[in-house]
């Protein structure tokens, strides 16, 4: 899988993808990342990428022409252009990072991981001329309800979250299906053509707490059940912890979670316990 990032700050990405799983995935040839300097697609002495907004107002806007040229250099034409004769059929999506975008959530990361190529456009200033969005972008993505000063951090978040779900990247960890947000059926508002919705997941709950050596740290002991070798007991404990943590930190997730009758009974018990 290939990621292409279009940015006015290519230096931002120096080193950011050179650690841990992300570095290994590239070294193993499972994924690659191309960084493209938007200023290379300008033609004036000052390498101008921005201009004042029509209608007045604060700030500057990224001009459409350099972005369109950058996309053309990646073989991407406006969406309404018929595909060229020699089109490879590779599945590409163009994504505009934007605070106005749909939320970037794990099911969407899972869908993007099935593509051949993801192109990420990083906005700056007040954002990107809207015609780039209309003509080229398959979706606008927001990484959260706050405003960043540029799309670069958001692009790095998307690359990291998607990359680790590419088959083979997590090795024998079966594509993170038992991690937080491993929901089977969380709804997303985008349907990517030709990409199956994932059928697996941790039931839409947050992950359980993890412990490692030493058994006791600063007066706190690892829960006995995890040391017991009782696999059924461990599974039960972990499920209960998932329910407790989700109830405490993200109760909104419970409405969509895949809950058994036993889970529902436990949630009621935890709620009663919390009321006491
Ligand atoms: N005027 C824009 C608005 O109010 O929505 C904010 C522009 S922001 C200062 C500059 C760029 O940062 C955006 O074009 C976008 O690429 C990126 N950005 C800001 N917040 C983001 C978020 N929550 N998710 C993804 N990208 C974001």
């Amino acid at each position: 899988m290939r990621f292409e990032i279009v940015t006015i700050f290519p230096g931002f990405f120096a080193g950011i993808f050179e650690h841990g799983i992300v570095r290994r995935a590239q070294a193993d040839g499972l994924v690659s990342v191309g960084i493209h300097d938007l200023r290379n697609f300008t033609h004036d002495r000052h390498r101008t990428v921005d201009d004042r907004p029509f209608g007045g107002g604060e700030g500057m806007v990224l001009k459409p022409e350099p972005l369109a040229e950058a996309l053309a250099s990646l073989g991407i034409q406006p969406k309404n252009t018929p595909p060229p004769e020699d089109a490879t059929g590779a599945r590409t999506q163009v994504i505009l990072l934007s605070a106005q975008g749909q939320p970037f959530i794990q099911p969407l990361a899972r869908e993007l991981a099935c593509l051949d190529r993801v192109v990420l456009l990083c906005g700056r200033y007040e954002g990107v001329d809207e015609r780039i969005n209309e003509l080229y972008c398959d979706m606008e993505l927001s990484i959260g309800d706050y405003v960043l000063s540029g799309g670069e951090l958001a692009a790095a978040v998307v690359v990291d979250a998607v990359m680790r779900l590419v088959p083979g990247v997590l090795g024998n960890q079966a594509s993170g299906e038992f991690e937080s947000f491993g929901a089977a059926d969380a709804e997303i508002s985008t349907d990517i053509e030709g990409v199956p919705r994932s059928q697996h997941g941790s039931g839409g709950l947050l992950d359980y707490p993890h412990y490692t050596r030493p058994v006791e740290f600063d007066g706190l002991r690892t829960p006995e059940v995890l040391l017991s070798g009782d696999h059924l007991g461990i599974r039960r404990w972990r499920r209960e912890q998932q329910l407790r943590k989700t109830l405490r930190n993200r109760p909104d997730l419970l409405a969509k979670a895949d809950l058994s009758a036993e889970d529902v009974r436990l949630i009621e018990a935890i709620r009663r316990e919390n009321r006491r």
Side-chain angles (χ1 to χ4, degrees):
M1 174 173 195
R2 172 96 176 152
F3 296 90
E4 314 278 14
I5 301 178
V6 180
T7 170
I8 63 167
F9 293 127
F12 182 95
F13 296 96
I16 205 166
F17 300 131
E18 285 165 25
H19 307 277
I21 289 169
V22 177
R23 185 195 60 75
R24 217 169 40 242
Q26 293 172 94
D28 292 347
L30 295 167
V31 296
S32 60
V33 185
I35 309 292
H36 308 278
D37 184 349
L38 188 61
R39 292 193 197 275
N40 289 344
F41 302 94
T42 57
H43 301 283
D44 65 313
R45 203 155 55 90
H46 302 291
R47 307 179 85 204
T48 310
V49 288
D50 59 328
D51 208 339
R52 290 190 306 270
F54 282 132
E58 293 297 307
M60 301 294 271
V61 177
L62 283 183
K63 290 160 65 60
E65 302 96 321
L67 282 160
E69 268 195 46
L71 288 166
S73 78
L74 299 172
I76 293 163
Q77 300 301 320
K79 286 182 288 187
N80 55 9
T81 314
E85 295 270 299
D86 59 349
T88 60
R91 290 168 306 174
T92 295
Q93 293 261 306
V94 180
I95 295 175
L96 176 63
L97 283 322
S98 167
Q100 302 141 42
Q102 64 170 293
F104 178 57
I105 54 174
Q106 189 73 359
L108 187 46
R110 225 177 288 127
E111 294 202 13
L112 294 176
C114 299
L115 296 171
D116 300 304
R117 190 163 68 143
V118 171
V119 180
L120 297 159
L121 303 183
C122 304
R124 276 276 156 180
Y125 316 120
E126 286 309 311
V128 170
D129 187 292
E130 188 61 19
R131 289 161 294 186
I132 290 297
N133 186 20
E134 267 180 47
L135 288 168
Y136 292 94
C137 296
D138 298 293
M139 67 183 93
E140 295 166 83
L141 280 192
S142 165
I143 63 159
D145 290 346
Y146 37 76
V147 178
L148 301 165
S149 42
E152 287 75 11
L153 271 174
V157 166
V158 171
V159 170
D160 189 295
V162 172
M163 190 183 276
R164 63 202 303 286
L165 299 174
V166 169
V169 168
L170 287 188
N172 56 9
Q173 267 178 266
S175 69
E177 67 187 79
F178 298 110
E179 294 184 319
S180 303
F181 310 114
D185 53 3
E187 277 177 27
I188 58 172
S189 54
T190 304
D191 236 336
I192 299 175
E193 209 182 319
V195 173
R197 281 170 185 269
S198 172
Q199 296 301 308
H200 302 287
S202 65
L205 299 174
L206 299 180
D207 199 3
Y208 48 79
H210 302 269
Y211 295 82
T212 184
R213 271 176 282 268
V215 168
E216 189 164 325
F217 173 72
D218 215 0
L220 290 181
R221 206 175 146 73
T222 300
E224 284 312 319
V225 66
L226 298 180
L227 310 171
S228 70
D230 168 4
H231 296 296
L232 184 62
I234 291 171
R235 256 206 322 276
R236 286 205 178 118
W237 180 87
R238 286 181 166 164
R239 185 70 180 176
E240 180 180 335
Q241 295 305 310
Q242 284 191 276
L243 293 168
R244 284 183 183 278
K245 199 161 241 199
T246 309
L247 200 55
R248 183 167 67 239
N249 293 342
R250 291 293 305 276
D252 57 301
L253 295 178
L254 287 174
K256 279 192 187 165
D258 189 6
L259 301 175
S260 66
E262 173 65 6
D263 290 333
V264 174
R265 198 190 59 71
L266 258 170
I267 289 170
E268 280 316 308
I270 298 166
R271 283 196 169 120
R272 276 199 302 277
E273 183 187 304
N274 290 346
R275 279 197 294 270
R276 261 185 251 133

